[in-house]
Amino acid sequence: MKISYNWLKDYIETDLTVDKVSEILTDTGLEVEGIGEFESVKGGLEGLVIGQVSSCKKHPNADKLSVTTVNIGSENELPIVCGAVNVAEGQKVVIATVGTKLYFGNEEMIIKKAKIRGEASEGMICSEDEIGLGTSHDGIMVLDDSAKIGMPAKEFFNIEADTVFEIGLTPNRIDGASHIGTARDLAAFLSLTKKTELKIPSVEAFKVDNNNLPIEIIVENKKACPRYTGVTVSNIKVGASPEWLQNRLKAIGLNPINNLVDISNYVLHETGQPLHFFDADQIEGNKVIIKTLLKETPFITLDEKERKLSAEDLMICHENNGMCIAGVFGGITSGVTEQTKNIFIESAHFDSVFVRKTAKRHDLHTDASFRFERGSDPNITVYALKRAAILLKEIAGGEISSEIVDVYPEPVADYKVDLTFRNLKRLIGKEIEKEKVKSILESLDIKIIVEDNEKLSLEIPTYRVDVQREVDVIEEVLRIYGYNNIDILEHVNSSLSYSSKPDREKIQNTISDILSGNGFNEIMCNSLTKDDYYNDLESYKPTNCVKILNPLSNDLNVMRQTLLFGGLESVMYNQNRKNADLKLYEFGNCYYLKDSDNENPLKKYDEEQHLAIFITGNKTEENWINNEEATSFFLLKSYVENIIEKLGFNLNQIESEEVSSDIFNEGLSYQYNKNQIVNFGILNKKILKAFDIESKVYFAEFSWDTVLKLSTKNTIRYSEIPKYPEVRRDLALLLDKEVRFTEIKNLAYKAERKLLKKVSLFDVFEGEKLGANKKSYAVSFILQDENKTLTDKQIDKITNNFIRIFEKELGAQIR
């Protein structure tokens, strides 16, 4: 939100520096995020002065140029060569002296001394478009006789310079979303040292001229529209706004349009109350009806788009059709135009929930909806209406042609809150003088109704929608008194606490360090995603999605069930930017609808933490010593098993089974004690196609909560290196193609639990010579006794036992 310092000074007398004002506003809760400068004319006409042409002769070497001398009030007159056809002796003109910057759009030109066709030129006689005061370039700008020679042009043309504060407005401080609101906080702070009055413009000049254009107001939906106020103004003249009004709007980044629109915007940014101007001649039946229309009713808004209305969209209607989406956006047929003669002014208070839902439903976010969504003041509508009507009479002419119609069936009273001095001291940590507390409250328009030694009974104005409890009032006192004025204690009270085991954060950091050390990048994706990702999936059923009741968009309408889709969005984003070789991981929560019939949210929904790993592209880049090597399933498998081992699991006790689903083309699922801990494999092409990813992506997802729960039973133990040697024996096994290496490994460990340390597959061969549906595995077995050296007899016995079991259980043949 932008606040003009010059505009602010209309309501408060101050000569504070810009930096001091910025500091005060930030300290009182209106954080100034930036400070900018505004000039009503770019460059502020710096370096331009008023001069008089003392002489004007034809250029001896150019037919279309003139050689002039110009008096600018200095000791010497300036020689200037001018190409304008209307230059003449005795004229008062605008001179750009040497060194002056002139702006032409985004380009700039610096005036320098020059010789033009042999004649010296030390400046420039300017036209209005060259200095930003108009669009004409027919000739130089000739001033009237009142212009004083040597006067700076910025003073003659009354160029306005302003400072603009960019305020980061928090959602609860909608009272500060106006110049009066900001001035109120500034005045309250300054009143701590010197009484500073907030000067709010008077509307006593409001007077009804006639009753020639009455408009009836009917509010059918009183919940959505607690108050609706209106008045008519007739015989107005649409035109350009005066310069002061245009400058006010330009300073805060608004483009002046015409006097009607500009007045509406001015009152909005002055008071914080949105207004809407209707062309009264377009209001059929002279009735304004506030109601909802049937679902799917078409309505064309000001941006010329047809929108299908919801049955919950509040509309401003005339006798036959809708004119405006209440508090959000106007319609194309009822707005003011250059031909408008009579207008109806709306000043209303709409329910914030209705406006917020409508704005999000239609993706319409305007200055009006911004304020209504956060809570407008129901008791300012009449003031804002009168303020706008008075400005209309002053600027656009016309007559106020009806009484103010104010439909306010249930007036909203000020909030009543009791403030105890004991709680004030307890929460702030310092005792503030009672008189100072009362002064702060009064400067914030908070009325003291009853007072005693223990407490104050207060009435909070309705524009402070965020101050409804005692603690809120204490915060108000503290932000004006100053957080920096609270002493910092020299001691700290603390208590000892013991972290639960396992230490989730420590374990997560350990695994993060391992992955990052292996070239992975950590990603953090949005927990909100779109339900389209889950359509037709069995692995993650759409019915298990946790739906958002009021989603920001259709792309963020459910909570994620898996980390898969957010990771694939990251893969797609990187690959679209030529970053194809990726190793990514993410720790994040996933959410599920567990029991849709249960009213208890703790039992209705479930939440789990997962760890996801993504690998795609090349494992190594091409260089002088290595060729490119693509990533593979087995690279992913090695990372998965490294994590499992780091967490204290014995891989020999991990059970695995093949996975083929709508997520994985091929993959594995690892279980421990019948608890699934991770699924991993190569992703289904159909999943990748939805993200326009053509390369293979390998994906693993750990059930992190389950992993941590089981890891408490697996303590990592350290032992010295055995002094007795290990022995290796290799077997070449001819097997059916359906036999997996896992079966061989499990049978081997089952046959020899004590001395077998490791089983590895080091070669696979398939060919016609082996026979149909056959393959050959070369398997190594590492044997070791930690207490003595193994004998050949022991080794042969174990090896023969392996052969016997493989032949019996797997139908293997020894090659």
Side-chain angles (χ1 to χ4, degrees), residues 10-11 178 180 184 198-206 227 229-231 266-268 270-275 345 347-348 377-391 404 406:
D10 290 345
Y11 315 111
S178 65
I180 289 178
R184 181 184 294 112
L198 178 67
K199 299 182 294 182
I200 296 178
S202 172
V203 292
E204 292 182 1
F206 178 87
R227 187 176 194 181
T229 311
V231 73
Y266 180 83
V267 174
L268 167 65
E270 178 183 56
T271 65
Q273 171 63 28
L275 303 176
I345 308 175
S347 179
D377 179 10
N379 292 326
I380 199 178
T381 59
V382 172
Y383 173 84
L385 193 75
K386 289 181 177 180
R387 177 74 169 142
I390 291 170
L391 289 171
I404 292 177
D406 185 14

Side-chain angles (χ1 to χ4, degrees), residues 150 226 264 270 293 389 493 551 688:
S264 174
E270 178 183 56
L293 298 178
N493 297 325
L688 298 178

Side-chain angles (χ1 to χ4, degrees), residues 190-315:
L190 295 177
S191 293
L192 290 173
T193 53
K194 180 183 177 182
K195 182 65 176 177
T196 304
E197 182 182 356
L198 178 67
K199 299 182 294 182
I200 296 178
S202 172
V203 292
E204 292 182 1
F206 178 87
K207 179 183 177 183
V208 177
D209 297 305
N210 56 61
N211 284 291
N212 296 337
L213 190 56
I215 300 287
E216 183 182 359
I217 296 174
I218 303 171
V219 179
E220 293 186 4
N221 192 330
K222 295 180 174 60
K223 179 182 178 183
C225 180
R227 187 176 194 181
Y228 194 94
T229 311
V231 73
T232 58
V233 181
S234 60
N235 299 322
I236 60 171
K237 184 177 181 181
V238 180
S241 298
E243 188 176 358
W244 69 266
L245 178 53
Q246 292 192 38
N247 287 339
R248 286 286 187 264
L249 298 180
K250 287 178 182 178
I252 60 172
L254 297 179
N255 291 323
I257 297 174
N258 59 49
N259 47 11
L260 301 190
V261 177
D262 295 349
I263 289 171
S264 174
N265 284 329
Y266 180 83
V267 174
L268 167 65
H269 288 276
E270 178 183 56
T271 65
Q273 171 63 28
L275 303 176
H276 194 87
F277 290 1
F278 295 92
D279 189 327
D281 296 328
Q282 303 298 321
I283 301 177
E284 298 177 15
N286 281 353
K287 290 182 180 179
V288 171
I289 307 169
I290 298 88
K291 62 181 180 178
T292 54
L293 298 178
L294 294 176
K295 184 179 180 180
E296 298 298 314
T297 299
F299 181 71
I300 301 175
T301 46
L302 277 173
D303 55 3
E304 300 182 357
K305 291 183 180 179
E306 182 177 284
R307 303 176 190 275
K308 300 293 185 181
L309 299 177
S310 162
E312 295 181 356
D313 292 336
L314 188 67
M315 297 293 295

